[in-house]
Amino acid sequence: MIFSLIAHGLVSLAFLFSWVFSPNDEMPAPRAVKVDLVGLPEKQLPPLVQKASPVEEVVPPIKSPEPPPEAPKPPAPKEKDVVKLPDKPKDDRAKKLEAQKKKQDEALRKMEASSAFDKIADDVETERRDKEKLVKGPQVQEGGTSGSLDALQRGSYENLVEEHSKKHWELPKWLSSRSLEATVLVKLDSSGTVIDRKIIKKSGNTLYDNWVLDSVDKASPFPAPPPKFVNRVATEGIVLAFP
Amino acid sequence: MTMNSGCKISKVFSYFLAASLIGSVLLSSVASASQIYINVGEAKRKESNLALPSLNFMGTGSVNATAAAAGAELYNVIKNDLTVSSLFQMMSQAAYLEDVSKTSLKPKPGDPAGFDFAKWKTVGAEFLIRGGYRILGNETEFEGYLYYVPKGEMIFGKKYKGTSSAGRRIAHSFANDVLKELTGTAGPFLSRLVVASDRDGGGYREIYVMDWDGFGPTKISNHRSVSMSPAWSPDGTKVAYTAFVLRGRSKRRNADMFMFDLPTGKRSLISYRQGFNSGANFDPDNKSMYLTISQGNSPNIYKMRYDGTLEAQLTKGPLGAMNVEPAISPDGQKLAFSSDRARSPMIYIMNADGSSPQRLTFAGVFNSTPSWSPDGKKIAFAGQSENNFDVFIMNADGSGIARVTSARRTNGKMANHEDPTFSPDGRYVMYTSNRTGKSQIYISTIEGTNEYRVTNDNFNYYRPKWSKTLE
């Protein structure tokens, strides 16, 4: 409190001091600077008089006006390391997907071959862990393969379903320009046939939702799920997000 | 003691409760993470089958020559607009199962004399347009309906009226409405283009205004010289352009800039500084424009009011470099231009006040004539990669360059595609191509599909500019 009073007092004193002793009581304002923003010499400009635009009469017919360049185009530099402009896009999405799938299948085979070793390693590991701590409560343990093999199989199946869904996903142009999104939950039986499908997130446009459902119906049967996932795909289902 | 132990029990119980809650939350999150979730991605886009049978004559008596001509004009314009729209696949009239002249414009059973949806469904039509017209004295009346065949329902129906010379306008309006109803955005079929052309011979190039489809070219300059690089004002009432004209009594020609007011036909000379006064590009403020002035030195970009007063110099060299082809973004914030300050001419962008210039394109050897999409998200330009120019569209930040044109001459040699300009609805891009040996005007979708030749003659057209308003 007291400090604040002192501080205020000091400041007012300073103001008073400067007011009393200032040699010049004018505010030190910067003098206006006239800037020619344009920077073009005025004398070169012909006077801008609108009446002096008798265009039609000053122009006599001429035989062959040399066509002047619209903008001076310097010769293109002959650099060899110029970045090329792109070609028209080709639909290579399907190719990419296929290559990706091949790669994954390859990896899957390798993993399966080595899964026996994995299993041994896993068993040793679980044994060690089991020794270290007692099991608290029930634990779910799936199958005999390793987690990474699981993930690979799942990834591979996901790719198959994605590729398959894309093939049947068509929209009329008049509808595709509106940015709409819908999500569908699809349940499949062991052969991949659709047993249930429903929109879980509507787009807000009934026609769009219908096109989405149509594309799911057209896509049935989907690729058959691997045995491990049959149950999950039939009960939990697969979520397809459009687009 | 008892109380104490009771306390302990309740504590243990609450721990257990918390643990089980956390457990269940964890479990459920694990379950949702394990759900197979697939992004299907962008759909393949397909054109819809459109049946557009002949229009019914709904006047009294038989069809005379005038009425038949009016009906043919209405039909042809609608058909052309909807073909260019790229939304439809036009069905062959030979496939139709119904004689439309014997049915009304409305469906059965509501109208006993109406048409039968089933017959259109059978031939695979997704959309059906039924239209009729009558001529009453000096008036043309058109009535058009758009039907969605799979559901057997009408999407819209509307009556249009105009003078007998308004046939094309009526047809364009109907086509605009079809696009508006289906996509939410009206078509550009009432818009126009302005272009420099030698179509009146004599070796001159003059400025012409015509409908977007090339109909009704009107000459708006008569300098009998070389006129070039026209531009539309935002409201479509004015055109600025440059012409090489004689300076007073001297024998020297100078590239001066003119402004032509379309409603009044009044022309004014707005910039006649020595050298180039060219590349006009109107600011959305309806008061000023950007242009290139060379003033004997390197060309630089300036902002100028309609009366010719310069507001600002926006580029300053560097010495010997050219800064040309200004193009202001639709919101008036950014100015794209081309410059050879880094040797190869490339597209640059800066703030509208000239600050923070930035290079946008790095590909190719020569990029020029930037042009904004109406939503300000894309920039089209002409780019030279090998020995020819093609049209490209990129995002306004320079990313995602995509090629729009790649057509060749009939002899297999490369053709030039230059001077792109977006349609006012942003769906299409217009450019010139010399594939026929002459520089002609073409249109395609911004993806480069559904190309349409606008001019069909033996003349040259340069720097077309699509009007910025839909009307």
Side-chain angles (χ1 to χ4, degrees):
Chain A
M1 185 67 178
I2 189 90
F3 289 113
S4 160
L5 273 177
I6 290 169
H8 275 94
L10 279 175
V11 170
S12 356
L13 268 174
F15 269 107
L16 191 70
F17 184 82
S18 69
W19 179 68
V20 171
F21 295 98
S22 166
N24 188 353
D25 58 358
E26 267 179 38
M27 279 289 284
R31 287 178 55 194
V33 182
K34 201 181 167 207
V35 180
D36 186 0
L37 276 176
V38 170
L40 279 179
E42 205 58 42
K43 60 179 176 184
Q44 288 186 20
L45 304 181
L48 276 173
V49 186
Q50 291 308 335
K51 67 179 162 89
S53 57
V55 186
E56 318 299 354
E57 56 191 57
V58 250
V59 187
I62 46 159
K63 279 273 154 62
S64 55
E66 73 266 58
E70 228 158 72
K73 289 183 178 181
K78 281 176 191 131
E79 293 166 44
K80 282 290 165 226
D81 54 347
V82 165
V83 186
K84 271 204 172 180
L85 284 159
D87 285 334
K88 268 197 174 184
K90 283 172 211 138
D91 194 20
D92 54 359
R93 217 168 41 179
K95 255 189 211 160
K96 258 190 212 158
L97 260 172
E98 210 164 296
Q100 200 183 346
K101 186 178 160 286
K102 226 183 218 171
K103 230 169 141 187
Q104 288 213 339
D105 283 349
E106 190 83 7
L108 195 59
R109 263 202 304 280
K110 275 187 193 158
M111 288 292 287
E112 259 164 357
S114 66
S115 70
F117 296 108
D118 281 355
K119 186 165 178 341
I120 294 167
D122 273 6
D123 287 351
V124 172
E125 176 65 17
T126 18
E127 217 175 306
R128 189 182 63 78
R129 254 189 276 142
D130 285 355
K131 266 184 197 164
E132 261 179 27
K133 52 167 186 169
L134 287 167
V135 177
K136 290 169 192 156
Q139 279 199 338
V140 181
Q141 272 192 320
E142 241 192 1
T145 47
S146 69
S148 54
L149 181 56
D150 246 22
L152 252 175
Q153 264 182 349
R154 177 177 160 153
S156 166
Y157 181 60
E158 280 174 354
N159 279 350
L160 279 176
V161 173
E162 182 184 337
E163 196 182 334
H164 184 80
S165 309
K166 270 192 205 318
K167 257 187 229 156
H168 296 87
W169 174 219
E170 256 189 356
L171 265 186
K173 282 184 167 184
W174 59 271
L175 198 49
S176 67
S177 58
R178 308 184 176 209
S179 41
L180 299 165
E181 288 172 20
T183 309
V184 182
L185 182 69
V186 188
K187 292 178 181 170
L188 309 174
D189 67 10
S190 60
S191 71
T193 306
V194 173
I195 46 179
D196 186 29
R197 90 278 191 279
K198 64 168 185 245
I199 300 235
I200 51 174
K201 201 186 128 218
K202 290 186 180 181
S203 67
N205 181 316
T206 328
L207 284 167
Y208 185 86
D209 292 350
N210 286 343
W211 276 95
V212 164
L213 287 178
D214 274 2
S215 87
V216 171
D217 292 344
K218 272 187 211 153
S220 182
F222 281 80
K228 187 189 287 273
F229 297 119
V230 166
N231 208 15
R232 185 187 283 179
V233 167
T235 53
E236 262 179 42
I238 299 173
V239 177
L240 296 175
F242 297 86
Chain B
M1 184 73 198
T2 6
M3 228 176 95
N4 204 1
S5 73
C7 228
K8 245 185 195 161
I9 288 167
S10 78
K11 242 184 196 167
V12 167
F13 182 72
S14 67
Y15 279 143
F16 175 75
L17 197 68
S20 68
L21 266 175
I22 290 167
S24 67
V25 166
L26 278 175
L27 268 177
S28 67
S29 69
V30 164
S32 69
S34 75
Q35 176 110 47
I36 299 179
Y37 188 99
I38 288 160
N39 283 310
V40 181
E42 290 303 321
K44 286 193 284 273
R45 300 161 76 234
K46 61 163 199 168
E47 293 165 3
S48 305
N49 283 340
L50 170 67
L52 178 64
S54 316
L55 308 179
N56 287 17
F57 176 69
M58 305 192 336
T60 47
S62 59
V63 193
N64 61 25
T66 323
E73 184 178 60
L74 284 167
Y75 180 84
N76 290 333
V77 172
I78 293 171
K79 186 174 181 184
N80 192 47
D81 287 359
L82 295 182
T83 304
V84 172
S85 81
S86 87
L87 298 181
F88 307 106
Q89 188 70 51
M90 286 287 170
M91 296 178 72
S92 157
Q93 296 221 8
Y96 302 163
L97 299 176
E98 201 170 57
D99 181 357
V100 289
S101 67
K102 294 197 171 80
T103 66
S104 80
L105 307 181
K106 307 231 166 106
K108 274 177 183 160
D111 183 352
F115 65 87
D116 189 355
F117 268 124
K119 290 194 171 147
W120 297 101
K121 213 180 251 180
T122 310
V123 295
E126 287 166 82
F127 292 102
L128 167 68
I129 286 177
R130 291 301 314 271
Y133 68 100
R134 55 171 72 83
I135 312 290
L136 301 162
N138 192 30
E139 215 169 56
T140 304
E141 206 180 291
F142 172 75
E143 199 175 328
Y145 299 87
L146 174 66
Y147 296 101
Y148 187 48
V149 179
K151 291 204 155 185
E153 60 189 28
M154 184 179 84
I155 294 169
F156 86 103
K158 208 165 163 182
K159 275 186 188 167
Y160 304 79
K161 250 187 206 174
T163 60
S164 57
S165 60
R168 295 187 75 90
R169 225 188 135 68
I170 288 173
H172 287 315
S173 302
F174 176 68
N176 276 351
D177 287 341
V178 169
L179 264 62
K180 170 131 185 120
E181 290 295 332
L182 288 182
T183 67
T185 311
F189 305 122
L190 281 170
S191 59
R192 295 196 287 172
L193 71 95
V194 63
V195 67
S197 173
D198 59 3
R199 56 175 290 134
D200 278 323
Y204 307 131
R205 287 188 202 172
E206 302 287 358
I207 306 297
Y208 298 81
V209 168
M210 56 188 87
D211 289 355
W212 73 270
D213 55 5
F215 182 82
T218 310
K219 190 157 100 169
I220 61 161
S221 74
N222 196 19
H223 300 293
R224 287 182 284 181
S225 166
V226 169
S227 300
M228 60 192 206
S229 53
W232 288 105
S233 66
D235 60 3
T237 62
K238 294 175 178 63
V239 169
Y241 64 92
T242 298
F244 280 81
V245 291
L246 283 180
R247 172 74 54 75
R249 279 183 218 93
S250 83
K251 293 260 161 68
R252 269 196 28 237
R253 281 178 182 273
N254 196 64
D256 292 344
M257 186 172 289
F258 297 85
M259 178 117 89
F260 184 76
D261 188 67
L262 288 162
T264 62
K266 188 174 166 264
R267 182 188 327 279
S268 35
L269 177 61
I270 55 171
S271 185
Y272 40 105
R273 283 119 185 143
Q274 184 152 359
F276 275 91
N277 301 267
S278 67
N281 184 263
F282 283 83
D283 193 84
D285 70 2
N286 257 317
K287 280 184 278 200
S288 50
M289 62 174 69
Y290 302 88
L291 77 163
T292 298
I293 299 176
S294 68
Q295 195 92 359
N297 306 315
S298 320
N300 273 306
I301 294 169
Y302 295 77
K303 189 174 187 184
M304 183 179 83
R305 281 203 285 276
Y306 286 3
D307 66 3
T309 326
L310 293 180
E311 278 183 13
Q313 178 176 358
L314 301 177
T315 61
K316 290 185 175 126
L319 201 67
M322 59 156 197
N323 296 287
V324 296
E325 298 166 345
I328 188 75
S329 62
D331 64 2
Q333 300 294 310
K334 297 273 178 187
L335 193 71
F337 61 103
S338 33
S339 174
D340 64 353
R341 55 183 67 181
R343 225 151 81 85
S344 305
M346 289 285 154
I347 310 291
Y348 289 75
I349 196 165
M350 60 187 176
N351 293 326
D353 63 2
S355 62
S356 329
Q358 219 185 322
R359 182 168 163 183
L360 272 191
T361 63
F362 294 87
V365 293
F366 197 125
N367 297 326
S368 63
T369 57
S371 166
W372 290 85
S373 66
D375 63 4
K377 289 181 181 162
K378 306 264 180 191
I379 295 175
F381 64 94
Q384 184 191 353
S385 218
E386 323 256 298
N387 294 315
N388 71 306
F389 278 93
D390 267 308
V391 172
F392 297 85
I393 294 180
M394 63 182 173
N395 296 322
D397 64 1
S399 66
I401 296 182
R403 181 184 289 264
V404 175
T405 63
S406 58
R408 291 173 177 240
R409 291 165 183 251
T410 41
N411 61 11
K413 285 196 177 151
M414 304 302 277
N416 283 328
H417 296 83
E418 293 175 87
D419 302 331
T421 169
F422 279 91
S423 62
D425 61 343
R427 287 184 174 100
Y428 315 102
V429 61
M430 180 182 280
Y431 44 84
T432 60
S433 169
N434 68 351
R435 73 188 71 164
T436 62
K438 294 285 180 183
S439 177
Q440 292 271 300
I441 305 174
Y442 293 76
I443 289 173
S444 79
T445 64
I446 55 172
E447 293 87 17
T449 65
N450 302 68
E451 195 180 62
Y452 168 75
R453 185 170 170 187
V454 174
T455 51
N456 231 310
D457 54 33
N458 231 346
F459 301 110
N460 291 296
Y461 295 83
Y462 308 95
R463 294 275 167 118
K465 288 276 164 59
W466 212 318
S467 62
K468 294 169 189 167
T469 49
L470 284 170
E471 298 261 329

